[in-house]
Amino acid sequence: MKPVTVLMLVAFPLYCYAGSGCSFLEEVIAKAANASVSTTEYRASLEEFINDENTANAVDKLKQCFLNQSVETLSNFNVMMEIIYNSIFCEPF
Ligand SMILES: *[C@@H]1O[C@H](CO)[C@@H](O)[C@H](O)[C@H]1NC(C)=O
Ligand SMILES: *[C@@H]1O[C@H](CO)[C@@H](O)[C@H](O)[C@H]1NC(C)=O
């Protein structure tokens, strides 16, 4: 879980500054942390960014990593992401 979180923390402000909008990334994160979304659904939702087998496997692993977490961990993760959304990282947007 830790490397994934750090990766997101690093990627998030960059994504916001790029001006692409935060809502898409929020959606990607919400789906990752939603236990009702299967790996297949998750992969399908990111289809446009998956252009080879390695990426597809990485997406599956990421989603599986979230599916392996307890409800409590997922809930804590969501709280943490809310705090990040409300932090200065998104302010210039
Ligand atoms: C989780 O995903 C399901 C199925 O896509 C959706 O119906 C539900 O609203 C989602 N839950 C949250 C909290 O976003
Ligand atoms: C998820 O849990 C299963 C069963 O414990 C394990 O085999 C698998 O490697 C785990 N996957 C990830 C990505 O953590």
Side-chain angles (χ1 to χ4, degrees):
M1 196 64 189
K2 266 183 196 156
V4 171
T5 307
V6 170
L7 188 76
M8 284 179 173
L9 288 176
V10 170
F12 195 75
L14 292 177
Y15 197 93
C16 290
Y17 279 113
S20 332
C22 293
S23 59
F24 175 74
L25 191 65
E26 278 181 41
E27 190 67 31
V28 169
I29 292 167
K31 281 200 178 118
N34 183 340
S36 309
V37 177
S38 67
T39 45
T40 313
E41 281 174 87
Y42 195 62
R43 194 203 277 219
S45 76
L46 290 173
E47 202 174 27
E48 59 183 301
F49 302 103
I50 299 172
N51 43 30
D52 60 33
E53 199 56 30
N54 284 343
T55 312
N57 288 338
V59 167
D60 282 357
K61 262 197 185 148
L62 174 77
K63 182 59 199 172
Q64 191 57 53
C65 172
F66 276 95
L67 288 174
N68 279 5
Q69 308 307 312
S70 67
V71 170
E72 193 192 355
T73 299
L74 288 180
S75 158
N76 285 339
F77 176 80
N78 285 326
V79 169
M80 182 192 76
M81 291 316 294
E82 278 304 316
I83 293 167
I84 292 171
Y85 294 153
N86 295 327
S87 77
I88 58 163
F89 288 135
C90 267
E91 224 163 44
F93 183 66

